Amino acid sequence: MLTQEVVTDLPPAEVIARAREFFALRFNQYAIFEIEEGDAHIRFRTDLAELVIGTGERNGQTVVRGATSRLHHELSQFLLTLAPSGEVRQNVVGPGVTGAG
């Protein structure tokens, strides 16, 4: 699984809402279904793979971590809506954020 991470000033609830909207409206190559949601994470499934986005807090900011086995480009596109491209870290290792990693 590839794990990507970004830090943003958005609150976790806003990140989850944006993820739901982004993948429901822009993800048109494959059908995507939301299969689980909590206060700090959301999980989607397609015919190809699963995609999980989780949030946590670090130094007063929201850490957003996404993990997927095949939807790397789509995950990157979403994370870029939360922070500048230089801020997205790929192949993150270490303790996971709730729901991802």
Side-chain angles (χ1 to χ4, degrees):
M1 281 217 148
L2 176 71
T3 302
Q4 299 179 54
E5 178 181 279
V6 70
V7 178
T8 182
D9 291 326
L10 296 170
E14 178 69 19
V15 171
I16 300 305
R18 286 184 181 205
R20 185 183 317 101
E21 180 180 339
F22 181 89
F23 290 103
L25 297 178
R26 297 187 190 192
F27 201 87
N28 58 19
Q29 187 175 3
Y30 309 101
I32 190 163
F33 305 97
E34 178 183 328
I35 58 172
E36 183 181 336
E37 180 180 344
D39 292 338
H41 76 281
I42 191 165
R43 191 169 79 173
F44 300 97
R45 180 166 300 184
T46 72
D47 290 339
L48 295 176
E50 191 171 290
L51 183 142
V52 180
I53 297 170
T55 63
E57 187 180 330
R58 183 187 307 149
N59 300 326
Q61 292 186 300
T62 301
V63 178
V64 182
R65 194 174 271 190
T68 184
S69 58
R70 299 194 65 188
L71 303 171
H72 310 136
H73 180 71
E74 293 80 4
L75 176 57
S76 294
Q77 284 183 322
F78 171 68
L79 294 177
L80 286 172
T81 68
L82 306 176
S85 62
E87 300 295 319
V88 177
R89 295 178 39 214
Q90 294 192 24
N91 293 321
V92 177
V93 294
V97 173
T98 303

